Amino acid sequence: MNNIIIHALIPARGGSKSIPRKNVKIYKKYPLLVHSINVAKDISLISKIIVSTDCDEIKKIALENGATVPFIRPSQISGDCSTDLECFKHYISWLKYNKKQIPDIIVHLR
């Protein structure tokens, strides 16, 4: 299993309507987003933790807590009707475009 590359991908857009700013709301002392990052950090097989976001505040929190934010997600896939599948396709396209290694497995964390 040592040769398998696993990334965690956390979609975290800034414009939630049901719970405004939900990804930065404090839950048990930390922003909600940080709980997902910490779960990924606890899994030793995960080599990269990627947060896909359209929000500078979420990006800052992600970076401060050990995740990578290699891009700001485009607004056309960050709206109320946008799907996580669009987020995953965007991440894989970004990897290909930037000639980065594509992981064997992408773990979806929310």
Side-chain angles (χ1 to χ4, degrees), residues 71-82:
F71 50 78
I72 292 293
R73 189 175 351 150
S75 60
Q76 61 266 33
I77 60 168
S78 298
D80 291 341
C81 296
S82 297

Side-chain angles (χ1 to χ4, degrees), residues 12-62:
R13 67 185 188 91
S16 174
K17 291 206 174 181
S18 58
I19 303 173
R21 303 181 69 244
K22 75 177 171 197
N23 289 302
V24 300
K25 290 233 184 255
I26 302 299
Y27 175 72
K28 293 188 177 182
K29 300 183 184 178
Y30 300 100
L32 189 60
L33 170 66
V34 174
H35 293 277
S36 294
I37 293 170
N38 286 341
V39 166
K41 286 162 80 174
D42 285 343
I43 301 169
S44 62
L45 296 174
I46 292 175
S47 59
K48 278 192 182 174
I49 304 166
I50 308 298
V51 173
S52 174
T53 187
D54 61 334
C55 173
D56 287 333
E57 182 180 15
I58 290 172
K59 177 181 178 177
K60 182 178 184 277
I61 291 168

